[in-house]
Amino acid sequence: EVNPDLDSVARGKSLFQTKICFTCHQTDPAVPAPVGLALKAPKFIGDFWGKEREVQINSDPQSFAFKDSGRTQRVKFDEAYFMESVEKPMAKIVKGAIPGMAPLPTTLEERKALAAYVKSLSK
């Protein structure tokens, strides 16, 4: 019987490539993501899942551009935060990063698979 978790991780890994997430989000210390370095995009390396991070809040969450409200918030990097970040990448920006992520069309199932893959990278 196939382990559904491993199946999700494998699907998520494939989506991470096809949805070009790897362009900005580094997952392997030996393989840099040059665009991500320029944007200071969060890396998915080390122990990050479930950890807190500081984010800047968009004053207009519906906007496709980031409008800095001047407010920051501490959030936990969990599935809910990850799903929101894929769906509405401009809602919250990791402090110090340059807002550059496009909202890519994904289904709920795809977002869950991506979350399973990214979670599996956290050591």
Side-chain angles (χ1 to χ4, degrees), residues 12-119:
K13 184 173 186 175
S14 167
L15 286 163
F16 199 85
Q17 301 299 317
T18 57
K19 300 278 183 187
I20 65 166
C21 315
F22 70 90
T23 309
C24 298
H25 296 286
Q26 187 177 352
T27 59
D28 179 341
V31 183
V35 177
L37 288 171
L39 294 173
K40 300 186 173 75
K43 296 175 178 158
F44 300 145
I45 296 172
D47 181 13
F48 59 85
W49 194 269
K51 299 285 183 272
E52 282 203 340
R53 51 179 47 193
E54 196 168 359
V55 294
Q56 294 166 275
I57 305 298
N58 191 343
S59 62
D60 178 5
Q62 299 311 313
S63 170
F64 287 114
F66 183 74
K67 297 175 181 170
D68 194 349
S69 64
R71 292 186 304 125
T72 62
Q73 184 184 339
R74 295 202 59 83
V75 296
K76 187 186 270 196
F77 192 135
D78 58 12
E79 188 172 288
Y81 168 78
F82 180 86
M83 307 278 270
E84 180 193 52
S85 296
V86 175
E87 245 183 310
K88 299 185 201 141
M90 293 299 161
K92 299 181 178 99
I93 302 292
V94 170
K95 194 170 180 183
I98 296 164
M101 184 166 150
L104 296 168
T106 52
T107 65
L108 178 62
E109 197 181 335
E110 286 174 330
R111 289 192 294 280
K112 286 189 169 185
L114 282 163
Y117 169 61
V118 170
K119 184 178 183 178

